[in-house]
Amino acid sequence: MRKLFGILLLLVLLFFTRPMWEEAAGNYIDLSFLDTVDEAVGKVADDTDVSKAFNEARHFTTRISHQLQAIVTESSAVLPEAVAKPDLAQTDSLVAVHNVTLGMSKDEAQQKLGLPLRLMENEYGTDWHSYHQDYQNYVLLSYDEQGEVNGMFTNQDLISSTEGFSMDSSKEEVRGLFGTPLSSLQKGRVQYILDSRDEYDLFETADSYTTVFYDVHEEDTVTAVQVISKELEDNRGEIYAEPSAEIKQGYEFLLFELTNSARIQRQLPLLKWDEATMGTARKHSQDMADQRYFSHTNQQGQSPFDRMKQDGISFFVAGENLAYGQYSAVFAHEGLMNSMGHRENIVKPDFGFLGVGVAFNSDKQPYFTAKFFNR
C-alpha cells in the first residue's frame, strides 16, 4: 500500500510541476505525451477503484519507459573515427587548399582528394564538388570546362600559403598579408557595396578573388577561406544567382554539409538529413519570400514547432535558424556561426536531424530555413 501511495504521489507532483517545465522549455520540448499524466491523476481523484488506477499508472510508466528508450536508441549518433589531416606541401601559390591550387587539373586534384561525394550547383553557375571523410578534411572545388580548378573553399585547417597565411591568422595579420580589402564589387553597370560587418574580407589578387571569413567568437581568427579565379568571378553577371530548382537544392545541401563540417570539428555527432523537415523548411522560406517578411513566426501566428507538428513531424527537441539575403549558402553559414544563438543550434549536441529549405524572392535574394530536431 505504501508503494502504491508513493507512485500516486509521484504522478500528482508531476501534474502540478508541469506548467514550470512548459514555461522553461516550451519552445524546444514537445510535452504532449504528458497529457496522459492528466488523465491518470484525474482517475486517481475521481475513481474509487484504486486497483484500476494503479494498473493504468503502471501502464503509463511502462509506455513512457519504452518511449524514452526509443528516443535514446534513435538519437544516439556515433561520432565517426578521427581521420588524420594531410601533410600540407610547400606551394608557390598565394593560397593552396589541401595541396590543391587554382588551375590544377581535375585528375591531379582528385589524386589528392579522391572522388567527390556530392555535386551542388553554386552561385557561379558551376558545381561545388564536395570532398571529405565523414566531413573531416572538408574541401569544395569547382572546375571550368577544361577540367581545371577555378574555385576552392575550406573551413578546416587545410590551408598552405607562401605568405604564412593559415587558420590561426588573425584579421590584422591577414590584412597585413593581403593588403586593403575591397569595399565593393562591380557587376556589369552595378557596383555592390560589401556589407561585411567585419566578419569577412574580400581581397583581389593577380589571378583571383579571395574571401577570408573570421570567427568573431574566437578573437577574429580565420574560420574559412574561399578562392575564386578572376575569370569565374568576372563571368558572374550579378551578385545573386538566377533562381532555379538546381541552385535551390545546391544551397540546401551545402548548408547541411557546412553544418556537419562545423560539428565534426567540435567532436559532435553528425546530423542526418531529414526530407520531411526539408519540406517544412522550404514552405516557410517560400512564404517569407512571397510575403516579404523575416520571422520565425509566420503571418498566421504559427511558430516553427507548430509548423512541424502540422506536417506530422514528431520531436522532443527542436530549433530553427533563419538567414536572408546572403550571396550563397557559404555566406549564410558563416554569418549564422557568428551569431551566438544560431551558433548554439548548429553545435547543439542534442540535435540528431536537420532539414534545410531555400526560396528566392523577386529580387533573387535567398531565404534560408534550417530546422534542427531529435525524436
Side-chain angles (χ1 to χ4, degrees):
M1 191 65 185
R2 294 172 66 181
K3 183 176 179 181
L4 171 60
F5 178 79
I7 292 174
L8 297 179
L9 179 61
L10 176 62
L11 289 172
V12 171
L13 288 174
L14 200 59
F15 176 78
F16 285 111
T17 58
R18 179 186 175 196
M20 290 188 289
W21 291 4
E22 289 181 330
E23 182 178 358
N27 283 345
Y28 282 93
I29 299 175
D30 180 359
L31 297 175
S32 59
F33 71 90
L34 286 177
D35 291 342
T36 314
V37 177
D38 295 7
E39 298 172 6
V41 174
K43 287 181 179 296
V44 172
D46 300 331
D47 200 328
T48 56
D49 188 350
V50 177
S51 177
K52 180 180 178 183
F54 173 76
N55 287 335
E56 291 178 353
R58 182 172 59 184
H59 172 72
F60 166 74
T61 55
T62 301
R63 186 170 67 84
I64 292 301
S65 175
H66 289 163
Q67 287 182 352
L68 292 175
Q69 185 177 6
I71 288 171
V72 171
T73 301
E74 186 168 5
S75 65
S76 295
V78 177
L79 190 67
E81 187 175 342
V83 174
K85 187 180 85 170
D87 292 330
L88 300 178
Q90 294 294 322
T91 175
D92 294 331
S93 298
L94 185 62
V95 177
V97 174
H98 204 305
N99 300 320
V100 175
T101 58
L102 289 181
M104 182 177 287
S105 71
K106 185 176 182 179
D107 288 342
E108 187 177 355
Q110 294 191 164
Q111 285 176 9
K112 302 174 185 295
L113 300 175
L115 295 175
L117 298 180
R118 181 181 279 130
L119 273 62
M120 299 163 285
E121 186 167 318
N122 60 36
E123 66 272 27
Y124 296 98
T126 64
D127 289 327
W128 280 127
H129 295 234
S130 172
Y131 302 90
H132 59 88
Q133 296 163 283
D134 288 325
Y135 297 96
Q136 299 168 85
N137 297 333
Y138 187 81
V139 173
L140 299 173
L141 296 181
S142 167
Y143 301 98
D144 62 20
E145 293 179 356
Q146 287 71 46
E148 295 180 345
V149 176
N150 62 2
M152 308 184 296
F153 171 88
T154 188
N155 59 359
Q156 298 187 7
D157 188 14
L158 300 170
I159 302 169
S160 52
S161 169
T162 55
E163 302 298 323
F165 169 60
S166 73
M167 296 292 281
D168 295 324
S169 300
S170 67
K171 183 189 298 181
E172 182 179 357
E173 291 169 338
V174 171
R175 291 177 176 177
L177 293 172
F178 288 91
T180 304
L182 298 177
S183 59
S184 63
L185 195 61
Q186 190 79 25
K187 293 292 177 188
R189 297 182 179 180
V190 179
Q191 187 175 36
Y192 293 91
I193 304 301
L194 301 176
D195 183 21
S196 69
R197 304 178 186 178
D198 277 339
E199 294 181 5
Y200 69 88
D201 284 330
L202 176 62
F203 300 97
E204 183 178 2
T205 64
D207 64 347
S208 67
Y209 289 93
T210 299
T211 306
V212 181
F213 298 91
Y214 305 107
D215 191 330
V216 301
H217 303 295
E218 298 289 342
E219 300 181 344
D220 282 336
T221 52
V222 177
T223 186
V225 61
Q226 178 176 281
V227 183
I228 303 297
S229 73
K230 277 203 165 178
E231 182 180 7
L232 183 59
E233 183 62 68
D234 291 344
N235 285 339
R236 181 166 62 137
E238 300 180 42
I239 202 74
Y240 291 112
E242 189 68 31
S244 68
E246 291 76 20
I247 193 71
K248 175 188 291 190
Q249 187 177 73
Y251 282 3
E252 290 167 346
F253 279 122
L254 182 51
L255 193 59
F256 170 77
E257 288 202 357
L258 293 170
T259 299
N260 270 335
S261 179
R263 288 176 69 89
I264 201 65
Q265 291 180 77
R266 292 159 177 79
Q267 297 184 321
L268 294 171
L270 298 176
L271 302 177
K272 298 176 183 177
W273 176 261
D274 188 77
E275 196 76 12
T277 314
M278 179 269 285
T280 303
R282 273 189 176 181
K283 286 189 289 186
H284 188 57
S285 288
Q286 192 64 60
D287 189 48
M288 290 190 294
D290 291 342
Q291 304 300 323
R292 295 279 183 158
Y293 72 94
F294 185 62
S295 174
H296 291 287
T297 302
N298 67 17
Q299 296 184 320
Q300 289 71 50
Q302 292 178 310
S303 73
F305 317 102
D306 295 330
R307 297 192 300 273
M308 290 175 72
K309 292 177 182 177
Q310 185 179 55
D311 288 347
I313 299 167
S314 60
F315 60 92
F316 76 93
V317 60
E320 180 178 87
N321 281 353
L322 300 180
Y324 154 66
Q326 288 78 8
Y327 309 134
S328 70
V330 167
F331 283 85
H333 171 75
E334 294 300 326
L336 290 168
M337 284 294 289
N338 276 332
S339 169
M340 185 53 75
H342 298 102
R343 185 188 186 104
E344 288 174 353
N345 273 344
I346 291 169
V347 300
K348 190 177 182 70
D350 297 344
F351 291 140
F353 301 90
L354 173 61
V356 179
V358 171
F360 300 86
N361 65 19
S362 57
D363 296 321
K364 304 180 183 179
Q365 297 168 320
Y367 287 73
F368 299 83
T369 301
K371 303 191 74 68
F372 304 80
F373 72 103
N374 223 337
R375 58 186 171 221

